[in-house]
Amino acid sequence: MLDRFNRKINYLRISVTDRCNLRCRYCMPEEGVQFIPHSQILSYEEIKEVVEAAVPLGIDKIRITGGEPLVRKDIVELVRLIASVPGVKDIAMTTNGMLLHEFAAPLAKAGLHRINVSLDTMDPEKFASVTRGGDIRRVFAGIEAARKAGLSPIKVNCVIKTASDEPDALAVKAYCLENGLQARFIKQMDLHTGEFGIVDGGSGGDCRNCNRLRLTSNGMMKPCLFSDMEFSVRELGVRKAIELALSVKPEKGTVNLHNCFHNIGG
Ligand code: SF4
């Protein structure tokens, strides 16, 4: 499907939960966050219905995000359901890696193709500080398990302050080169002020070539990360919500005062 600016929209990012087993400083405030009540979260059957309605409209690429998708119960079953929808060509997931060593093999067997793992530093203490308690060894174990499971490519999402020549970014880049991983550098973004940049090594933030829509875990179809516009798939029906989101998709992102990163999946 094409939007008003003739951009081909074929990519749906699905946030399956706003919960996470880490508390990264640039994502979750110290005082904690108000989570979406479980009763409002889309069931796996509802998510499958969204994908089934989206494919005939032109969506063939799906990314599963969170919060942290691997904390949602039976997540492997969701991958199986999405992989069973004819016309879905590419299924990817973004994870913080804490549980990946346990899930990589069943996810690959269920139909997951590739994975992005968050890693902002190679320094264990700094990692524990940035994530408020994460163990970096679990990320390395997860990446190894993903490699063994045949997930490919394995990309590493590294959040940077301003530039990819920062010491931590250079260390992550070297680690990726040594291990045949693809590094992506994501400038810290701010939804509320509209600060964002094009992902170095990826396509995010490149509004002129934007190809995506987003589905939040409570069923809101969003035309853009940096916009407050959203349409309920439960109230409007999936097709209508997608068509409305597409019809108002902005030429470029501005601000999003409504969401936070942990409930929209970046
Ligand atoms: S800010 Fe909006 S239009 Fe720009 S790349 Fe992101 S989602 Fe697409």
Side-chain angles (χ1 to χ4, degrees):
M1 58 185 146
L2 296 178
D3 73 357
R4 298 171 292 161
F5 307 98
N6 253 351
R7 295 173 295 191
K8 183 178 177 218
I9 310 300
N10 69 326
Y11 179 18
L12 180 62
R13 296 173 65 102
I14 301 175
S15 167
V16 296
T17 180
D18 61 343
R19 298 171 193 236
C20 186
N21 48 4
L22 291 179
R23 292 286 178 275
C24 299
R25 293 179 185 280
Y26 48 75
C27 179
M28 291 219 193
E30 183 93 42
E31 65 278 12
V33 291
Q34 190 74 38
F35 289 119
I36 300 169
H38 283 298
S39 59
Q40 293 177 21
I41 299 290
L42 291 182
S43 68
Y44 288 161
E45 267 314 311
E46 286 178 293
I47 294 174
K48 186 186 176 201
E49 282 163 25
V50 170
V51 176
E52 282 171 336
V55 168
L57 295 172
I59 295 289
D60 59 16
K61 185 176 166 180
I62 303 284
R63 178 174 295 277
I64 299 168
T65 68
E68 169 51 39
L70 297 182
V71 302
R72 183 148 176 199
K73 198 163 166 289
D74 301 331
I75 187 71
V76 174
E77 186 48 30
L78 176 65
V79 172
R80 208 188 317 283
L81 288 173
I82 292 174
S84 73
V85 178
V88 173
K89 294 184 186 139
D90 179 15
I91 309 174
M93 180 182 281
T94 301
T95 173
N96 63 26
M98 291 295 113
L99 298 172
L100 186 54
H101 68 290
E102 183 189 331
F103 281 95
L107 287 169
K109 202 155 166 256
L112 190 71
H113 298 122
R114 55 197 184 89
I115 199 124
N116 289 46
V117 185
S118 307
L119 183 64
D120 305 331
T121 176
M122 296 303 289
D123 176 336
E125 276 166 33
K126 214 171 187 181
F127 182 88
S129 164
V130 169
T131 60
R132 293 200 184 99
D135 180 348
I136 201 171
R137 292 169 298 180
R138 297 175 75 99
V139 178
F140 299 140
I143 289 172
E144 244 353 272
R147 192 200 304 282
K148 281 204 187 96
L151 294 172
S152 177
I154 301 172
K155 297 185 180 179
V156 169
N157 288 356
C158 177
V159 173
I160 54 177
K161 290 197 178 46
T162 52
S164 57
D165 60 1
E166 290 159 10
D168 283 314
L170 291 174
V172 169
K173 192 184 268 182
Y175 163 73
C176 289
L177 281 173
E178 277 156 31
N179 292 280
L181 310 171
Q182 295 179 18
R184 304 162 79 253
F185 299 99
I186 305 166
K187 250 196 217 134
Q188 277 190 24
M189 302 185 264
D190 188 324
L191 289 171
H192 301 162
T193 62
E195 273 171 71
F196 68 96
I198 295 181
V199 173
D200 176 348
S203 55
D206 179 9
C207 301
R208 258 176 344 113
N209 300 303
C210 186
N211 62 347
R212 60 206 63 193
L213 296 174
R214 286 176 170 79
L215 179 69
T216 64
S217 56
N218 57 348
M220 294 298 177
M221 191 61 68
K222 292 191 67 81
C224 168
L225 176 61
F226 281 84
S227 159
D228 281 321
M229 293 182 280
E230 55 185 29
F231 304 91
S232 167
V233 294
R234 281 181 170 146
E235 287 165 23
L236 299 163
V238 180
R239 190 181 172 95
K240 185 82 186 150
I242 292 175
E243 287 169 349
L244 283 170
L246 187 74
S247 69
V248 297
K249 186 171 173 65
E251 189 168 13
K252 57 183 174 45
T254 49
V255 295
N256 178 345
L257 303 175
H258 196 72
N259 295 106
C260 304
F261 278 114
H262 72 274
N263 64 28
I264 196 171

